């Protein structure tokens, strides 16, 4: 999650300590309001879009739930844009990827995937491709000091799928361009990638906005312990199976996702290393 880092970078551009403090306080209120409404919205959407009786995976009801949540996700961006919380950033201000923590072992998984000639894509609802590149570069440097994101991971701009800041005269305007901002966006991108690249697709995700894309992949892997993701998955009878030992013959199975406690388990299961 890069939200706190990118907002802090924007606040740091304000000319006085008083202005910085005021902007930080204003953003804290927006963030607090979002989290309280998000929890309530999840519960309301689950009630409004129940799974059919019988205990089978209900993809249609899950899609209705995600459609409902998509509207909320888009609306939740408006206070951020209208509040100017992303305004005034130069691209150099976004070279702060060292402040973003990646989940342990994730960079090893990505590097191993490239070594095995896999094509990588990043799908993210975070707000800056520059910050995503900076984050990956910072953590990659610990494994390959002279490597670059483009060379070592094959991640050119066309492989980074995220909203992005809009710049004018070298500074961010505070507005954002492009998907994905919702689970529907991620699903559409995943479908397009599957059409472009034949072969087995693997999607790793850890949030509710990843659910549809996870289910679209041949192998969808839930990493970590997101209580909200698990709650929604179980509400629509998604089968959650342990990853390690489950992929001897990987095939796309409707309504089945795999769970991994860590990226180390993912590397082991996919590559045996």
């Amino acid at each position: 999650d890069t939200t706190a880092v990118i907002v802090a970078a924007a606040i740091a551009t304000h000319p006085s300590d008083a202005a910085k403090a005021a902007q930080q306080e204003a953003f804290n209120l927006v963030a607090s309001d979002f989290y309280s409404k998000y929890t309530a919205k999840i519960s309301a959407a689950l009630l409004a879009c129940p799974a059919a009786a019988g205990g089978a995976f209900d993809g249609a009801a899950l899609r209705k739930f995600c459609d409902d949540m998509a509207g909320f996700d888009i609306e939740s961006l408006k206070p951020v844009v209208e509040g100017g919380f992303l305004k005034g950033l130069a691209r150099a201000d976004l070279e702060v990827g060292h402040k973003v923590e990646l989940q342990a072992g994730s960079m090893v998984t990505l590097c191993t995937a490239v070594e095995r000639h896999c094509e990588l894509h990043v799908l993210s609802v975070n707000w800056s491709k520059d910050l995503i590149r900076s984050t990956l570069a910072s953590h990659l440097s610990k494994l390959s000091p002279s490597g670059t994101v483009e060379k070592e991971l094959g991640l050119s701009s066309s492989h980074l799928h995220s909203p992005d800041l809009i710049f004018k005269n070298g500074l961010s305007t505070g507005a954002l361009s492009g998907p994905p901002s919702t689970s529907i966006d991620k699903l559409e991108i995943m479908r397009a990638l599957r059409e472009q690249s034949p072969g087995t697709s693997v999607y790793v995700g850890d949030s509710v906005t990843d659910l549809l894309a996870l289910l679209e992949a041949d192998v969808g892997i839930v990493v970590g312990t997101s209580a909200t993701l698990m709650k929604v998955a179980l509400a629509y009878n998604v089968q959650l199976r342990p990853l390690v030992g489950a992929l001897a013959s990987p095939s796309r199975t409707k309504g089945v996702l795999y769970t991994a406690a860590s990226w180390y388990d993912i590397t082991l299961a996919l590559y045996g290393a």
Side-chain angles (χ1 to χ4, degrees):
D1 185 6
T2 62
T3 301
V5 173
I6 192 171
V7 171
I11 289 174
T13 66
H14 285 255
S16 68
D17 289 343
K20 293 173 183 175
Q23 191 74 338
Q24 183 66 65
E25 183 178 358
F27 180 75
N28 289 345
L29 290 174
V30 168
S32 178
D33 183 61
F34 166 78
Y35 286 117
S36 62
K37 289 180 177 178
Y38 177 76
T39 302
K41 179 61 180 178
I42 289 285
S43 298
L46 287 172
L47 287 174
C49 311
F57 168 62
D58 193 339
L62 174 58
R63 174 58 190 252
K64 290 180 180 178
F65 166 86
C66 290
D67 283 333
D68 194 359
M69 289 301 302
F72 173 85
D73 291 335
I74 292 170
E75 285 297 312
S76 70
L77 290 175
K78 289 183 178 180
V80 176
V81 173
E82 293 169 359
F85 297 111
L86 305 176
K87 188 176 181 179
L89 286 159
R91 292 191 184 276
D93 296 325
L94 296 164
E95 295 296 323
V96 287
H98 60 284
K99 297 182 179 180
V100 179
E101 291 187 13
L102 293 184
Q103 294 181 18
S106 57
M107 189 55 66
V108 172
T109 305
L110 298 183
C111 289
T112 304
V114 174
E115 290 172 1
R116 305 298 177 89
H117 308 291
C118 297
E119 181 180 350
L120 298 182
H121 290 263
V122 174
L123 279 66
S124 175
V125 297
N126 289 306
W127 299 329
S128 169
K129 290 183 180 180
D130 290 303
L131 183 52
I132 292 173
R133 275 190 289 265
S134 174
T135 299
L136 293 172
S138 176
H139 290 271
L140 176 62
S141 68
K142 300 172 185 177
L143 298 177
S144 177
S146 60
T148 66
V149 170
E150 289 79 5
K151 180 181 177 181
E152 300 296 328
L153 300 180
L155 291 173
S156 64
S157 293
S158 64
H159 291 76
L160 296 179
H161 311 271
S162 79
D164 209 1
L165 295 171
I166 296 173
F167 288 84
K168 184 177 181 179
N169 298 325
L171 295 177
S172 62
T173 64
L176 295 167
S177 67
S181 297
T182 72
S183 58
I184 308 302
D185 295 332
K186 288 186 175 181
L187 172 62
E188 292 175 351
I189 292 170
M190 187 60 187
R191 283 178 173 169
L193 292 175
R194 281 174 55 82
E195 290 178 2
Q196 295 169 16
S197 302
T200 301
S201 60
V202 178
Y203 188 104
V204 181
D206 65 357
S207 73
V208 171
T209 60
D210 292 312
L211 259 176
L212 294 180
L214 283 162
L215 290 162
E216 176 68 18
D218 292 303
V219 179
I221 302 173
V222 178
V223 63
T225 56
S226 169
T228 304
L229 185 154
M230 295 297 183
K231 177 180 179 180
V232 174
L234 293 174
Y236 295 102
N237 300 309
V238 175
Q239 292 186 48
L240 299 170
R241 300 176 182 174
L243 174 65
V244 174
L247 300 182
S249 300
S251 61
R252 190 178 181 197
T253 306
K254 186 177 181 179
V256 173
L257 297 178
Y258 298 93
T259 60
S262 72
W263 284 84
Y264 298 110
D265 288 346
I266 295 173
T267 305
L268 177 64
L270 295 180
Y271 306 112

